[in-house]
Amino acid sequence: MSQTQILISAGEASGDLYASRLAAELMRRTGAHFFGMGGEHMRAAGVELVANSADVTVSGFNEVWGKMAVLHRVLWRLKREARERKPKLAVLTDFPSFHIRVARRMNWQHIPCVCFVAPQFWAWRPWRVKLLRERYARALCIFPFELDFYRKAGVETSFIGHPLVDIVRPSLPRAEFFSRFGLDASQPLVALLPGSRMSEIRHNLPVMLEASQQIAQRHERTQFALALAAGFTARIISPAESSEGTLIIQSGETDQGFRLPGGVDLHVVPGMTYDVVGAASAAIVASGTATVETALLGTPMVVVYKVARFTELLLRALVKTPHFAMPNLIAGRRVVPELFQQDCTAPRISEEVLRIMDSPEARQEMLQGLAEVRGKLGPGGAIERAADIIAGMLESI
């Protein structure tokens, strides 16, 4: 009997991580062969990549137009591979705008689709939920409040919990982390998380660095750690005759320089985000998955986000929720400060960080709110629950 084929696809870093763990668990249980689109996590898990997610990942609406030709080529490639290999199932992870189109092509070939990590249609463009109902046999959601939204729309949905609950852990004890990176464990540490893509870093890091200078002016001994995602490197150039320096961040063949204000004791820590956040007294975090990771680590945070003007106008027109920071959406109330676009200024950021650092009452209130968020993300075992559902579907096909 030939080996069962399963198409699996992820288009972003978080999806690549989740899909790699799901693929590994299903391989162990079923012995199936997985092929599709993904990144290094999926490759390491044994998935045969016929397309690389790095080719299609975009940030903001402007970037979509520039990658339209690439997106169509990858879409065609996945359709062709599915036609030749005839998988029993397609597992499409997050990245909804692209994967809804993939699901349509799978439907043409009578291949059932699972939506692993249901999209946030409850937050923006809710009318698109009908496409999920029409094109997916099952949706797996990771936030508890999503279940009612999707079931009311007629989508066959299961709540599995958040995969990050099992993943987010520092790799080093706090004291060892401070020692390794030349940090003083007796002094405050503020983590800077400007995003996982260069376009996000360009928008968010300059204002974070300005805010860091203002924080340092109030608390001279404060240290700052820049958490860079895997694939980025950085160096600091500090001319002896100047109080300012230049921070150079490199990704692949791209270099980007940023002004490093004087008085900021900045330490660059690539590829160890959980250690940086876990050791920090407070964090300044670009909106996205990193805010959920920071909540799971229990570190008080200020959520920020700056985007291109065109993207801002579209977001304001399309987003239908009272909050944009994921911890606030999960809690259903304002747990952490969120500063978007015009509100995302150095004085506002520094004010909120200093409030966390200087007010025990404000800090304790936020810690309690973050504990509430962690509780709502469900117990561990999200990947195993997803594998249970998908394995059951394979048996019934």
Side-chain angles (χ1 to χ4, degrees), residues 109-183:
Q109 300 180 46
H110 306 290
I111 299 168
C113 297
V114 176
C115 179
F116 177 40
V117 184
Q120 296 169 14
F121 288 157
W122 41 267
W124 70 305
R125 296 192 288 180
W127 58 88
R128 302 192 77 198
V129 71
K130 68 177 183 178
L131 297 177
L132 212 66
R133 182 179 64 241
E134 293 167 357
R135 299 181 186 179
Y136 288 90
R138 195 73 164 268
L140 308 181
C141 61
I142 62 176
F143 297 116
F145 56 83
E146 296 176 319
L147 196 58
D148 188 50
F149 170 81
Y150 280 112
R151 286 185 173 172
K152 281 183 177 178
V155 180
E156 185 72 24
T157 315
S158 300
F159 171 60
I160 58 170
H162 206 298
L164 286 175
V165 172
D166 291 316
I167 295 171
V168 177
R169 302 280 189 280
S171 62
L172 297 175
R174 187 174 187 272
E176 185 177 341
F177 171 78
F178 271 83
S179 175
R180 177 179 295 190
F181 291 96
L183 294 159

Side-chain angles (χ1 to χ4, degrees), residues 333-353:
R333 62 185 180 87
R334 186 183 185 274
V335 170
V336 300
E338 49 181 39
L339 303 175
F340 176 67
Q341 213 63 352
Q342 288 84 359
D343 293 329
C344 184
T345 65
R348 289 289 305 278
I349 296 170
S350 61
E351 175 188 351
E352 295 290 355
V353 172

Side-chain angles (χ1 to χ4, degrees), residues 177 191 193 227 272-281 283 285 293-294 297 299:
F177 171 78
L193 282 70
M272 297 182 67
T273 298
Y274 299 161
D275 293 279
V276 172
V277 174
S281 307
V285 189
E293 295 169 325
T294 303
L297 289 163
T299 300

Side-chain angles (χ1 to χ4, degrees), residues 297-334:
L297 289 163
T299 300
M301 75 184 94
V302 177
V303 179
V304 304
Y305 210 56
K306 293 179 78 72
V307 295
R309 177 62 175 165
F310 177 67
T311 301
E312 177 196 2
L313 293 174
L314 285 174
L315 287 174
R316 291 192 185 279
L318 295 173
V319 174
K320 304 301 180 183
T321 61
H323 306 289
F324 75 87
M326 191 56 70
N328 295 340
L329 289 168
I330 296 167
R333 62 185 180 87
R334 186 183 185 274

